[in-house]
Amino acid sequence: MEEAMRRHFFNHGEQGTEAEKKDCHWCQIRGFATHSQFPITIVNNVDDTMIQPNFRFMERSIRAKDIEPTRKEFLSGCECKNGRDCQYNTCTCLQDVDDDSTDEDEHENGHEGSSRKKAYAYHTHSPKTGQLRSKVLASRAPIYECHESCACDRRCPNRVVERGRKVPLQIFRTENNRGWGVRCTVDIKKGQFIDKYMGEIITEKEANRRRAHSHFAQRKDVYLFALDKFSDPESYDERLRGPPLEVDGEFVSGPTRFINHSCDPNLRIFARVGDHADKHIHDLAFFAIRDIPRGEELTFDYVDGVDDSDMDALDPNKQKDMARCLCGSKNCRGYLW
C-alpha cells in the first residue's frame, strides 16, 4: 500500500500516467466535488492489503444500460418560493407525508397556528437543524425531500440528502479480521446525515445472475440492496408492481460500501425520495441513530427490521450454511443470515 501511495503522490501529477491515474483510488476520491472540504482518506496500519484494484470510487449511483430513466414529462417538483413555503403550504414533495406536530420540537420555530402542521423529517429552527427528528429516526419511514426539479433553492431545509455528504470519512483496515471499515474524523450528532449507499442499479434478474456467479453468494449479498421500500403488487406504477431494482456496490460505489455490520449499530439506512416519479430508484441514506465520537467505527445492521424471532441461527443443523457475524457486540446474534 505504501508503494501505491508513493506512486500517487509523486507520479500522478506527471504527463503520461493517465491510464494509471484512472485506476488509482486516491485519484478517484480526489476527483469528488466535496474532496477539498470533506475528504475521504484511506489508511492501513495493520497489514499490506489494498482495496481490490478492480473497485472504482464513484460519487453517485449509475444505472445499468437496461434501466431506462423516467421520461421527463413525468418528472415534477414543488412550486414553493422558499423553504418556509415548503413547510407551511402545500408542498407537493410532502404529499405522502402525514401532517404531524407531535415531536419534541413541536414549537421550535415559533409558527404555531400556521396553515399547515410540521411535516419535515428534519429539525429546522434549532441547534439540531438538519438532523432527523426523533420520531422519524426511531421509525423506518421513508424520507421525502425537495430536489433539483423544485422551485425552492438548495438552501431549502428539506434538501439534506440532496445537498450531499458534509462529513469527512476515513476507510481503514480493521484489526479483528473484519476487513475494511469506515470511521469519521469529526464528532457526529444523533440524526445527522452521513452519506448515501451507491452502486450500479440493476434488475433483480441481473442481481440473481451475479449471485449465482459469485464464488460466495452470501458475500455477494453484503453488497446488494433491493430498492423495495415502495414495492406494491397493487400499485398503479408498473415499476413498483414488479420485482424491485437492486443496487450493487461491490465493484462501483462510494466510501459507505466499506461500512461493516454490527448487531448494535450506530447508523441506520433510510429510503429517501426526491421526485415521486422515481420511487423505484429511491436513495439509500445513512443517518446516525446516536451521537458518535470521532474515530468510532461506523456500523449498521445488515438485516435491520427483519424479524429474528424464529432465527435459523438457533438451529445447529442450519448454522453451517450461514454467514457468521464478527461484530463482537454484547448482543451479537452470532450469524448474519
Side-chain angles (χ1 to χ4, degrees):
M1 184 165 178
E2 233 178 87
E3 178 58 32
M5 290 178 64
R6 191 176 295 110
R7 288 286 303 170
H8 166 72
F9 288 107
F10 293 101
N11 296 82
H12 288 176
E14 303 174 358
Q15 291 185 345
T17 60
E18 286 74 18
E20 187 177 320
K21 287 167 62 176
K22 184 179 179 181
D23 296 328
C24 173
H25 293 138
W26 289 276
C27 286
Q28 291 164 13
I29 58 181
R30 285 187 68 181
F32 283 19
T34 56
H35 177 73
S36 60
Q37 193 172 4
F38 307 109
I40 299 166
T41 52
I42 307 171
V43 296
N44 183 353
N45 298 320
V46 177
D47 53 34
D48 296 325
T49 303
M50 293 180 59
I51 293 174
Q52 60 197 73
N54 59 344
F55 175 80
R56 185 170 182 81
F57 283 97
M58 300 287 283
E59 283 189 276
R60 58 189 61 84
S61 292
I62 58 175
R63 297 174 186 173
K65 293 181 179 179
D66 57 345
I67 305 297
E68 296 185 6
T70 303
R71 288 159 54 183
K72 290 184 178 180
E73 57 263 36
F74 293 115
L75 298 175
S76 63
C78 71
E79 298 296 328
C80 304
K81 296 177 181 178
N82 51 49
R84 188 182 185 282
D85 225 18
C86 287
Q87 188 170 15
Y88 291 101
N89 290 319
T90 312
C91 178
T92 55
C93 296
L94 301 175
Q95 63 187 1
D96 290 344
V97 178
D98 294 332
D99 288 347
D100 189 310
S101 61
T102 59
D103 208 358
E104 75 286 349
D105 61 338
E106 178 178 359
H107 303 299
E108 70 175 6
N109 47 32
H111 291 292
E112 297 92 334
S114 209
S115 60
R116 152 183 197 97
K117 294 180 179 179
K118 185 194 302 288
Y120 277 172
Y122 307 105
H123 294 269
T124 56
H125 295 82
S126 76
K128 297 180 180 180
T129 295
Q131 297 169 25
L132 275 186
R133 295 163 60 204
S134 296
K135 184 174 182 178
V136 178
L137 197 61
S139 75
R140 292 177 177 81
I143 298 168
Y144 295 90
E145 284 195 349
C146 296
H147 51 94
E148 60 184 359
S149 297
C150 294
C152 58
D153 62 28
R154 286 183 62 82
R155 293 172 296 176
C156 173
N158 197 33
R159 288 180 179 242
V160 173
V161 176
E162 170 83 5
R163 285 190 288 268
R165 177 173 54 86
K166 300 296 181 184
V167 294
L169 296 177
Q170 184 174 82
I171 301 168
F172 70 101
R173 193 70 177 170
T174 64
E175 296 182 347
N176 51 359
N177 297 317
R178 291 183 301 115
W180 299 95
V182 179
R183 57 195 173 201
C184 187
T185 53
V186 298
D187 293 337
I188 295 173
K189 294 296 185 181
K190 178 181 178 180
Q192 188 172 351
F193 170 61
I194 308 303
D195 202 353
K196 296 187 293 186
Y197 184 83
M198 291 161 283
E200 184 183 5
I201 301 175
I202 57 178
T203 63
E204 182 188 58
K205 181 179 179 180
E206 173 61 15
N208 289 334
R209 187 194 69 81
R210 295 184 184 187
R211 287 186 181 95
H213 285 78
S214 174
H215 293 300
F216 186 20
Q218 289 176 325
R219 180 186 172 190
K220 185 65 180 178
D221 279 326
V222 169
Y223 305 112
L224 284 165
F225 286 82
L227 300 178
D228 57 358
K229 187 67 175 179
F230 302 96
S231 294
D232 181 357
E234 298 182 0
S235 173
Y236 290 111
D237 188 336
E238 62 180 1
R239 299 169 303 178
L240 299 178
R241 287 200 303 270
L245 300 175
E246 299 196 34
V247 181
D248 185 358
E250 183 171 10
F251 300 109
V252 178
S253 191
T256 56
R257 179 265 198 197
F258 299 94
I259 296 179
N260 281 316
H261 162 84
S262 175
C263 297
D264 186 19
N266 49 30
L267 304 180
R268 174 172 290 162
I269 286 185
F270 288 82
R272 177 266 181 189
V273 176
D275 198 301
H276 284 235
D278 278 338
K279 282 184 176 180
H280 66 301
I281 50 172
H282 59 267
D283 291 323
L284 301 172
F286 286 95
F287 285 84
I289 56 176
R290 61 172 173 80
D291 290 344
I292 306 172
R294 64 178 181 177
E296 179 179 322
E297 183 177 358
L298 304 180
T299 58
F300 74 105
D301 189 340
Y302 285 5
V303 291
D304 185 35
V306 176
D307 181 12
D308 60 359
S309 59
D310 187 25
M311 286 183 59
D312 287 343
L314 301 178
D315 185 344
N317 295 321
K318 296 182 179 180
Q319 289 177 356
K320 66 180 184 300
D321 297 319
M322 299 183 68
R324 184 177 293 276
C325 180
L326 302 175
C327 76
S329 64
K330 291 181 179 179
N331 59 342
C332 178
R333 296 188 292 266
Y335 295 85
L336 291 175
W337 46 65

